[in-house]
Amino acid sequence: ARDDLDAAGQTQLAAMAAHCPSGALTLTLEGADVEPTLPAQIFLVPDGPLLVTGGATIDRSDGVVLESRNRVTLCRCGASENKPLCDGSHAKVEFSHSP
């Protein structure tokens, strides 16, 4: 949490980080990331990415292993400039596929 925010602002930032589907937003307190405990699961987001929870190991096609995160969204539309991660391009290309 930031020191220049009031308690309500800090609470709002913590909630945003806790509900960020990609895990790109994180909350760090006293040097440690604070994240909800999530089971190892894969979800298809309608018209969007794959949501992977539970700290799965993800290898890129070039063999680089990504940092293990509790939540990550993977590109399903093929348009991401940050593959295998989703960068939101599915909205721009109007990707449509529901589970």
Side-chain angles (χ1 to χ4, degrees):
R2 292 180 27 184
D3 294 333
D4 61 336
L5 293 176
D6 62 14
Q10 290 181 10
T11 299
Q12 183 177 12
L13 282 177
M16 289 171 59
H19 292 96
C20 175
S22 70
L25 297 176
T26 59
L27 176 65
T28 303
L29 294 175
E30 298 178 9
D33 286 343
V34 177
E35 290 195 282
T37 301
L38 300 171
Q41 295 180 328
I42 299 173
F43 302 93
L44 288 174
V45 176
D47 303 329
L50 290 170
L51 171 60
V52 181
T53 62
T57 300
I58 300 184
D59 300 341
R60 291 190 332 201
S61 62
D62 62 4
V64 173
V65 178
L66 299 179
E67 175 186 3
S68 180
R69 304 291 304 179
N70 195 33
R71 297 166 288 172
V72 65
T73 51
L74 300 177
C75 178
R76 191 163 66 111
C77 71
S80 175
E81 294 292 326
N82 194 27
K83 289 181 196 86
L85 304 174
C86 174
D87 68 0
S89 291
H90 56 273
K92 288 184 272 184
V93 300
E94 298 180 4
F95 177 71
S96 178
H97 183 265
S98 298

